[in-house]
Every structure is written in C-alpha cells, then in structure tokens.
Amino acid sequence: MDGENRKIDPRPGWDEYFMEIARVVASRSNCSRRQVAAVIVKDNHLLSSGYNGTPRGVRNCFDGGCPRCAGDMPSGKGLDECRCVHAEQNAICQAACHGVAVEGATIYITLSPCLTCAKLIINAGIREVVYGGDYSFLDTVREMLAEAGVRYRRFGAREDGTTVNGGESPRS
C-alpha cells in the first residue's frame, strides 16, 4: 500500500486506552476524598486493577469507615491514620491474590505514586509507571524509582515536556 491509500487507525493508542480504563476503575473507589485507580499491564494485556478505599470487610470510606477521611484533616496530613488502601497497593494485592505475576509490567495510575506505593512497585518488579496527575510526587520517589531502574512518565508527556496529541507516548 502506498502512503495515499493508508487508512488512519481511529482506535486510541495503548497509553490512552489503559489510562481510560484506569479512570473507569477509579469510579469504583469508595474513598470520600479522592478517587484513584491503577491498572497493571504487560504486553498490552490487562493483568490487574485496583482502586483506593477501605480494605475488604471494612465499612466503606464514604459510609464512615475511615475517620480521617470523614474528618476535617487537611490533605496530606494524618495519613498514618487513614484506613484506605491505595490503588497501586490494591492492584498489586489483586494480582498476588489471583497468582498473576507482574514482574516486567507497566502500571497506569490516575495520580503519581506516594513513597510507600513506589516501594511496592519496585519490589513487585514493575518496570514502568505511567501516571495521570501529580499528587505529592516527591523528588525522593522519583530518585528511588530511577535508582531501581523503574521508568516513570506522565501520561501524554514527551521526554522534552511537550504533550503528545491524544495522550500517546512516543515510547509505546
């Protein structure tokens, strides 16, 4: 086929596809403060997903299951009192619960990972983090991911900081 007869593929790119799935997964979050989700992917196949909220068998956050979230604690404060499990933690736990290996995978997260989640991502063998928005993406987290050889990038951003049309990464 010559260049004039080629049809443009109307489907979303892989990054856009998996980030959109993460956004839908986030809608299941039971956290009353923030809805976050993560999906773990390998070879363009979805392995696991998770969203933030209280653990299984614990009253949902929006039903008062987490006193910190129900209170007036400022964002980023009192996190050691929060009963909610982060989306990345839940996605990794779900994979483990079902015997799914995530080594070498990519995790798509609607918000950047915290320090605890970064440590879990590294130890789970996940090799790349693609995140939607920034939530306290500390330099410590960035440095630790880099030192461990885990690539990270903001969804839709090129290495030079410009945005790719449609959110597709040039590295996909």
Side-chain angles (χ1 to χ4, degrees), residues 28 39 84 90 102 125 133 150:
R28 288 288 305 159
V39 295
C84 292
N90 273 327
V102 297
V150 177

Side-chain angles (χ1 to χ4, degrees), residues 36-38 40 50-53 79 84-93 102 107 109 111-126 128-129 131 135-138 140-142 144-145 148 150:
V36 182
I40 302 174
Y51 51 84
N52 63 324
L79 296 176
C84 292
V85 180
H86 289 190
E88 304 93 320
Q89 295 166 350
N90 273 327
I92 291 168
C93 286
V102 297
I107 188 166
I109 316 166
L111 287 177
S112 57
C114 70
L115 182 59
T116 299
C117 288
K119 291 186 270 188
L120 291 172
I121 288 166
I122 291 166
N123 277 355
I126 293 171
E128 183 175 28
V129 174
Y131 62 97
Y135 174 72
S136 299
F137 201 10
L138 306 172
T140 307
V141 173
R142 295 174 196 270
M144 192 171 55
L145 289 171
V150 177

Side-chain angles (χ1 to χ4, degrees), residues 2 24 27 35 37 45 70 77 90 95 99 102 104 106 116 120 122 141 146 170:
D2 63 30
V24 172
S27 71
Q35 293 185 312
H45 293 282
K77 302 292 182 193
N90 273 327
V102 297
T106 297
T116 299
L120 291 172
I122 291 166
V141 173

Side-chain angles (χ1 to χ4, degrees), residues 7-71:
K7 292 185 180 182
I8 296 173
D9 190 342
R11 301 175 300 168
W14 289 113
D15 278 356
E16 188 177 359
Y17 175 71
F18 289 120
M19 194 57 80
E20 188 62 28
I21 291 172
R23 287 187 191 109
V24 172
V25 171
S27 71
R28 288 288 305 159
S29 168
N30 70 55
C31 181
S32 60
R33 289 201 171 205
R34 179 173 288 125
Q35 293 185 312
V36 182
V39 295
I40 302 174
V41 174
K42 188 170 183 181
D43 299 326
N44 293 330
H45 293 282
L46 182 68
L47 300 178
S48 182
S49 66
Y51 51 84
N52 63 324
T54 51
R56 288 182 193 172
V58 174
R59 195 167 11 131
N60 284 335
C61 182
F62 55 70
D63 289 330
C66 180
R68 180 199 170 268
C69 289

